Amino acid sequence: MFKRYDTNFATEPPADLPLSPKVKNLRKAYQDAEAAHEKYIQENSRYCTRDVRRIGEVGPRHSSIALEDAKRELRELEIAAVEAGKPLPDKEAFFAPIKVKMDDYDRTVSAHKVLIKKTKQEYSDALFSELKTMGLKEAEKAAKARDEWEKAYKAMAAAKATLNLHAGLFTWCLSAGEMDLAPRTGHSQGENFEYWELTEDGRLKFEAAKALEFYDFMVKVDGLIEPDPNPPTPAVDEWTVNHIPRQYYSKSSGGDEYGNKGTYVGDIY
């Protein structure tokens, strides 16, 4: 469900708004209040009252981590006192410091929330009061940026037209005019120019030519595209390879009367 930022703004003000020094100070006061609140909660969460019931317990049981730890500690002291034949510790006195801290926690957190709400409202109201002035300045900046964008766009369009011209002339030279009859992506249609890259001697790199789809049958003039630096290895037809069989002999069993050291069992390839 959508939640408004506050009564003035639907969403949180952008971080890059050009704020006046006054509004910047109010925003910092609000941010500092929030930071102090988060820091206090993290450092004193043991004293936060919460539902601490265990599995199987019926109904909520409100306490704090600090108070539950104190209860266990008191139980150990009571057992030790009974074992030693001494009086039991004063229960109320034992829990009193913990309960004071729990009460302080609730009051401090409540005060933090009030301060956060107050500083946020002050920041929001001050920012809202400057929106007209801020908006007029941003409109002027946008108009200036629009003029700069238009100049840059026109320069880009002119550069692209020059690129199209020379890339098209290169294509015509490469194909001896045939590329006009079979346009491909990357040259006649003026796309994929980011792949256009030359070697040190001025030829179009092989990978660039492949990305630009300059196929072999289109190339009529040699020397304009570098050769494939990693030509594929020719395929080997296994039926045309002459395999030389190697004889395999079994392990020697002492030999026979003719001096053989084993038994021939066939050829392996």
Side-chain angles (χ1 to χ4, degrees), residues 209-222:
K210 186 167 64 173
L212 293 166
E213 299 183 4
F214 285 119
Y215 299 122
D216 289 346
F217 68 89
M218 303 174 187
V219 179
K220 305 300 181 182
V221 179
D222 294 333

Side-chain angles (χ1 to χ4, degrees), residues 238 240-248 264 266-269:
E238 62 181 16
T240 63
V241 178
N242 294 324
H243 296 282
I244 300 176
R246 295 182 298 168
Q247 292 183 340
Y248 174 82
Y264 175 71
D267 299 334
I268 60 171
Y269 295 85

Side-chain angles (χ1 to χ4, degrees), residues 171-189:
T171 300
W172 193 93
C173 295
L174 179 71
S175 63
E178 291 192 15
M179 283 299 294
D180 286 342
L181 302 177
R184 287 289 188 270
T185 299
H187 18 80
S188 296
Q189 296 180 3

Side-chain angles (χ1 to χ4, degrees), residues 119-139:
T119 54
K120 181 180 180 181
Q121 192 64 50
E122 291 174 348
Y123 158 57
S124 177
D125 290 343
L127 175 59
F128 189 84
S129 68
E130 295 186 359
L131 289 185
K132 180 179 178 180
T133 302
M134 190 184 304
L136 291 173
K137 291 181 179 179
E138 293 304 310

Side-chain angles (χ1 to χ4, degrees), residues 8-159:
N8 288 325
F9 305 108
T11 59
E12 183 177 0
D16 52 358
L17 278 175
L19 305 178
S20 66
K22 173 186 175 182
V23 177
K24 284 183 179 180
N25 290 335
L26 291 173
R27 181 178 65 178
K28 185 178 185 306
Y30 163 56
Q31 293 173 340
D32 289 348
E34 277 197 321
H37 175 61
E38 293 298 326
K39 183 174 183 292
Y40 181 84
I41 288 177
Q42 292 176 4
E43 294 178 350
N44 298 275
S45 60
R46 284 175 44 81
Y47 303 103
C48 175
T49 302
R50 66 193 75 189
D51 186 0
V52 296
R53 60 181 159 177
R54 299 176 180 273
I55 297 177
E57 291 187 33
V58 179
R61 181 165 63 86
H62 295 99
S63 183
S64 69
I65 296 175
L67 185 58
E68 293 301 299
D69 289 345
K71 288 179 180 178
R72 286 188 287 271
E73 184 180 352
L74 177 62
R75 173 56 60 187
E76 293 176 0
L77 293 175
E78 290 173 341
I79 293 173
V82 170
E83 186 177 8
K86 296 181 179 180
L88 294 175
D90 188 321
K91 181 178 179 180
E92 294 301 323
F94 191 83
F95 289 148
I98 303 297
K99 291 183 177 180
V100 168
K101 290 185 177 181
M102 289 174 61
D103 183 59
D104 287 347
Y105 179 90
D106 292 339
R107 293 166 58 196
T108 303
V109 168
S110 177
H112 275 156
K113 290 180 178 179
V114 173
L115 179 61
I116 290 172
K117 183 177 180 180
K118 175 179 177 293
T119 54
K120 181 180 180 181
Q121 192 64 50
E122 291 174 348
Y123 158 57
S124 177
D125 290 343
L127 175 59
F128 189 84
S129 68
E130 295 186 359
L131 289 185
K132 180 179 178 180
T133 302
M134 190 184 304
L136 291 173
K137 291 181 179 179
E138 293 304 310
E140 183 179 358
K141 293 177 182 177
K144 181 180 179 181
R146 190 264 180 199
D147 291 340
E148 294 174 353
W149 168 83
E150 185 176 9
K151 292 178 183 178
Y153 179 81
K154 289 179 179 179
M156 181 274 295

